[in-house]
Amino acid sequence: MAAIKAGPAAQDSPEPVDTGSLRGDLLALLERLESTMDAGEPVSLTIMQAGLRDPELCDFIETSVGPTGARLTETVRQAAIARGELPESADPFAYEEIAAATLIIRKLNGLSTDATYRAALVDAVLLPALRSGISAGQDGIFSGKPAPSTHRPHESRRT
């Protein structure tokens, strides 16, 4: 936890994300997330990966060190709705499910998560998904309240 607390998300009053456009805000959130992951790497990555399985840990990280960029803030969502960039029904699921998980997996596998990659992620995946207005019917993995698995690995499957 100390590695994440020492990172850029740990400012006393983290700067709110407001670049004037949804695309810019998403890129700023991903940059913050990238910086958070790079602080104390690989410890930070391990802690964030553990947050995938433990919603309480995910909440603890967000509340104790400040916004990491793993969640689409309500401020960003509402600003995009006010500017007409997103429908009222815009669901943060796409960002909270895809952004951090994708960056973690790429980092753990030694793949690039640079600005060019993050722009492609925003343009090809996150913006279209957020603009669709389709509700996922569940919360994203880094929302702090994702749906628990119903799969029980110790039970044998019957065919």
Side-chain angles (χ1 to χ4, degrees):
M1 258 338 251
I4 291 177
K5 283 185 177 184
Q11 303 169 25
D12 287 334
S13 298
E15 294 281 325
V17 173
D18 186 4
T19 65
S21 74
L22 177 59
R23 182 179 190 276
D25 290 352
L26 294 176
L27 289 170
L29 284 170
L30 288 178
E31 184 176 354
R32 182 177 286 177
L33 181 57
E34 175 84 12
S35 296
T36 299
M37 287 181 181
D38 285 346
E41 188 184 351
V43 175
S44 294
L45 283 175
T46 303
I47 291 169
M48 291 186 81
Q49 186 179 24
L52 296 174
R53 287 178 288 237
D54 186 344
E56 289 178 10
L57 176 61
C58 188
D59 272 342
F60 178 75
I61 292 169
E62 290 289 318
T63 58
S64 66
V65 303
T68 61
R71 293 183 179 167
L72 179 65
T73 66
E74 188 59 15
T75 304
V76 167
R77 192 179 83 81
Q78 286 300 323
I81 291 169
R83 290 189 298 260
E85 296 175 293
L86 288 179
E88 281 284 335
S89 61
D91 188 342
F93 175 83
Y95 184 88
E96 294 171 352
E97 183 74 9
I98 296 167
T102 301
L103 293 183
I104 287 171
I105 289 170
R106 290 185 66 86
K107 282 185 166 292
L108 290 174
N109 287 291
L111 301 172
S112 174
T113 59
D114 64 7
T116 301
Y117 172 78
R118 293 190 308 269
L121 180 62
V122 166
D123 295 337
V125 179
L126 297 175
L127 282 172
L130 290 167
R131 287 178 176 153
S132 76
I134 297 170
S135 173
Q138 61 182 310
D139 294 306
I141 202 164
F142 281 101
S143 67
K145 47 190 182 314
S149 173
T150 57
H151 174 70
R152 301 194 195 304
H154 62 279
E155 293 179 2
S156 63
R157 292 185 180 173
R158 298 178 191 245
T159 56

